[in-house]
Amino acid sequence: MDQKVTDLKRSYEEVALADNLDDVIRQAIYKGQKRRRSAARCKMAGIMLLFALTAFTAGVNTVPAFADSLGRVPVLSQLAKVLQFRDGKATGGEITDGKTVGPVTREPDSVSERIVIPIYEGENPATVTNYFEATYSAYPYTLTLDLLGVRWFFDGGNFPSFADSQLVEGMQKLVVLDDSQQRLLITFKVPVDITVTQTTNPAGLTVDIRAKEEQLPPAYSVRTASYPFGEEVGSLEERIREALGYPAETIRMLADKNGKLFVEAGRFATEQEAEDMKAALLAKEGINFTLTVEKREPAQLPATVLQ
Amino acid sequence: MENRETVLRARKGDSEAFGRLIDERRESLYRTAYSFTKNRDDALDIVHDTVYKAFVSLPKLKNPDYFQTWLTRILINTAIDFTKKQKRAQPADTADIAAPTGSDNEERLDLYAAVDRLPEMQKAVVILKYLHDLTLTEVADILRCPPGTVKTHLHKALKTLRMELKEE
């Protein structure tokens, strides 16, 4: 029997590998990558959080496609689709890759703003918008756009100046440790109503912004220190996600009042709850950096916290 | 020796790191899958499903040092599920089997075919013990059953193989 086992082993080792084995493996990894992103998005939508804040969902639009309640001419295109937000989130587009954020423009008027974000393929407008997720929240008021399948910026990520805007504080790139996607952050100065419209042929996103009245109590944010744009703050975000088990609803990357970036792990109605979360997080493996509890009004720009 | 750092990066979603881990094991993955199916396309299907499942569920792997055992378990389970679903009415296509070299071709084919006819769990034990050189404890760990059960499967498998090969 021993000889036969040896023979069996030799036969096993002599099995010729299939020519396309490497292609099959690559396809499986790519499919797994898409599946993991999709699973993370499902978690964002449905996970039960220990520290959920139901009181702090900022108001978002449910405006029908051609209503003009924001006082703006709707995006005129048979292929325009107004996103419907639920709990501050909306998704759209199609899963693609290799897209570019085109030259971003703004069209202010006396009472509102319009920001146009075209999506390019190479040097020309794309036909179809990549898959994206839009998240709107307060403390401060922000719109975060996760653009999956977008790898580059047409002009290196230069955005228009909002210095004269009554509504928009600024727009900037966020750090993402995945070269197949980009993230944009639009920070607002006041509570706003927004409408996000997705267009096809040409592809892009249009964000219409108008001030609104809203009174919310202050919140207490558990956050990191402020960092310049770079891998370090991206790494902190990943470490916090891993420590908290990837509940993406509470974790945000934000810009402070000087344009530096930081990560917010969560925000709470009371200072005690925030301190408890901070202590729990610091006890986790891999969390060996500064965390601070910051009190913030709903439209207040975050402070710069030194490391 | 496992590169722990690579496993940790792969666990966080670094597909390049995961690709390196799989690349180091590609031959073993394919040959093990092939041992179950004796068919190139089916073996590729098993490898594809194994790699996909592994990357998707890698965040759940708590101990990165356990990666090899964990991956082998996924492979074996995928192979067993696949062969159960196949419900082959005819024997393996012997033309598709990598022809053993040497003068004892027929005997090797007999052995290969005999192993192929074993029930899935017995086949898995034979493959893991004899082709992967694992101990019974390691096999038990992969198959998530007591070592005693592995011994029973092995004993039955060897008994069947001896009878089929008419060994005295």
Side-chain angles (χ1 to χ4, degrees):
Chain A
M1 194 69 195
D2 283 347
Q3 180 55 43
K4 293 202 184 298
V5 168
T6 304
D7 290 344
L8 182 70
K9 194 156 181 191
R10 201 178 313 141
S11 298
Y12 165 84
E13 286 162 358
E14 287 172 355
V15 167
L17 301 182
D19 291 339
N20 56 335
L21 175 60
D22 290 337
D23 286 340
V24 165
I25 287 172
R26 260 197 300 275
Q27 282 167 25
I29 293 175
Y30 180 65
K31 188 175 159 187
Q33 220 174 357
K34 292 203 302 185
R35 178 71 181 88
R36 274 177 74 157
R37 286 188 195 135
S38 171
R41 288 191 288 274
C42 288
K43 274 191 179 175
M44 290 181 203
I47 194 169
M48 292 289 292
L49 298 172
L50 290 176
F51 302 112
L53 293 179
T54 56
F56 293 129
T57 303
V60 291
N61 67 300
T62 54
V63 178
F66 295 104
D68 194 22
S69 62
L70 293 189
R72 278 272 178 176
V73 175
V75 177
L76 292 175
S77 165
Q78 288 183 339
L79 300 173
K81 176 186 162 190
V82 174
L83 301 191
Q84 298 300 314
F85 281 76
R86 279 200 172 82
D87 295 329
K89 290 189 185 296
T91 63
E94 293 180 19
I95 294 178
T96 61
D97 199 355
K99 298 290 189 286
T100 301
V101 173
V104 177
T105 56
R106 60 177 284 229
E107 301 164 16
D109 65 21
S110 57
V111 295
S112 66
E113 281 264 8
R114 169 172 282 180
I115 300 174
V116 181
I117 305 169
I119 299 298
Y120 274 35
E121 191 147 13
E123 294 186 355
N124 299 305
T127 306
V128 170
T129 301
N130 54 285
Y131 183 87
F132 65 91
E133 292 162 10
T135 308
Y136 178 54
S137 56
Y139 303 94
Y141 288 94
T142 57
L143 177 68
T144 303
L145 297 170
D146 284 79
L147 307 172
L148 277 68
V150 170
R151 292 178 179 261
W152 308 282
F153 287 86
F154 186 76
D155 50 4
N158 290 316
F159 302 116
S161 168
F162 292 90
D164 63 338
S165 175
Q166 304 290 321
L167 303 176
V168 182
E169 173 64 28
M171 183 173 180
Q172 63 205 100
K173 291 191 296 184
L174 295 178
V175 175
V176 57
L177 300 182
D178 178 344
D179 62 4
S180 69
Q181 67 178 88
Q182 293 287 350
R183 279 196 296 181
L184 296 178
L185 175 73
I186 304 172
T187 306
F188 305 107
K189 291 178 174 171
V190 296
V192 292
D193 268 327
I194 58 166
T195 301
V196 179
T197 308
Q198 168 196 329
T199 58
T200 300
N201 203 18
L205 297 173
T206 301
V207 183
D208 287 310
I209 306 151
R210 186 177 181 135
K212 71 170 181 183
E213 291 294 324
E214 182 166 75
Q215 295 285 340
L216 292 174
Y220 295 83
S221 159
V222 178
R223 55 162 289 181
T224 68
S226 302
Y227 294 81
F229 183 94
E231 204 172 298
E232 191 169 9
V233 67
S235 171
L236 294 186
E237 187 181 35
E238 279 303 306
R239 285 154 74 179
I240 291 174
R241 282 183 194 280
E242 184 158 1
L244 294 180
Y246 294 87
E249 280 200 34
T250 68
I251 300 169
R252 301 192 289 172
M253 187 179 288
L254 296 168
D256 67 22
K257 62 185 181 186
N258 292 309
K260 291 201 167 166
L261 300 180
F262 67 93
V263 181
E264 179 181 84
R267 58 190 187 278
F268 303 87
T270 68
E271 189 173 5
Q272 187 58 55
E273 286 173 309
E275 289 291 349
D276 289 345
M277 198 247 197
K278 175 186 157 187
L281 195 47
L282 285 171
K284 300 265 187 184
E285 189 185 335
I287 308 297
N288 55 0
F289 43 85
T290 305
L291 289 173
T292 306
V293 172
E294 180 187 19
K295 181 181 176 183
R296 236 183 273 139
E297 299 296 330
Q300 181 184 344
L301 296 177
T304 296
V305 174
L306 299 177
Q307 296 166 42
Chain B
M1 198 65 177
E2 205 60 71
N3 185 339
R4 200 169 193 272
E5 188 57 41
T6 310
V7 175
L8 286 171
R9 295 220 308 275
R11 194 170 69 175
K12 287 179 186 168
D14 184 338
S15 56
E16 221 178 286
F18 183 73
R20 281 201 295 279
L21 293 170
I22 296 299
D23 197 52
E24 288 165 10
R25 295 158 174 84
R26 59 196 272 282
E27 292 181 16
S28 171
L29 287 171
Y30 179 79
R31 288 186 173 129
T32 304
Y34 193 89
S35 303
F36 274 87
T37 65
K38 306 300 182 296
N39 176 281
R40 186 183 304 121
D41 290 338
D42 292 345
L44 286 173
D45 282 346
I46 290 171
V47 170
H48 176 277
D49 288 356
T50 299
V51 170
Y52 168 74
K53 285 179 199 171
F55 192 50
V56 168
S57 56
L58 190 49
K60 294 181 194 159
L61 176 64
K62 290 192 174 67
N63 182 357
D65 297 325
Y66 204 58
F67 178 78
Q68 178 61 44
T69 301
W70 173 84
L71 181 67
T72 307
R73 182 183 299 138
I74 294 176
L75 172 66
I76 297 299
N77 287 338
T78 303
I80 289 175
D81 288 346
F82 188 94
T83 51
K84 278 181 183 171
K85 281 177 195 165
Q86 279 296 91
K87 292 182 182 174
R88 283 184 168 186
Q90 49 198 354
D93 179 1
T94 53
D96 203 23
I97 298 175
T101 56
S103 58
D104 53 348
N105 279 6
E106 276 192 30
E107 281 192 19
R108 281 221 224 147
L109 280 175
D110 284 345
L111 175 61
Y112 231 42
V115 171
D116 196 43
R117 285 193 288 272
L118 291 172
E120 271 74 26
M121 281 302 281
Q122 290 179 27
K123 192 192 305 186
V125 169
V126 167
I127 287 171
L128 289 171
K129 175 148 174 52
Y130 293 115
L131 301 186
H132 285 247
D133 289 327
L134 298 180
T135 64
L136 290 182
T137 306
E138 287 168 332
V139 173
D141 200 5
I142 287 169
L143 297 179
R144 281 204 167 138
C145 61
T149 306
V150 173
K151 263 192 204 171
T152 303
H153 284 310
L154 183 63
H155 175 73
K156 286 182 181 172
L158 292 178
K159 188 176 174 185
T160 303
L161 290 175
R162 284 193 189 101
M163 278 172 53
E164 289 215 15
L165 299 171
K166 295 188 174 57
E167 181 164 298
E168 290 176 7

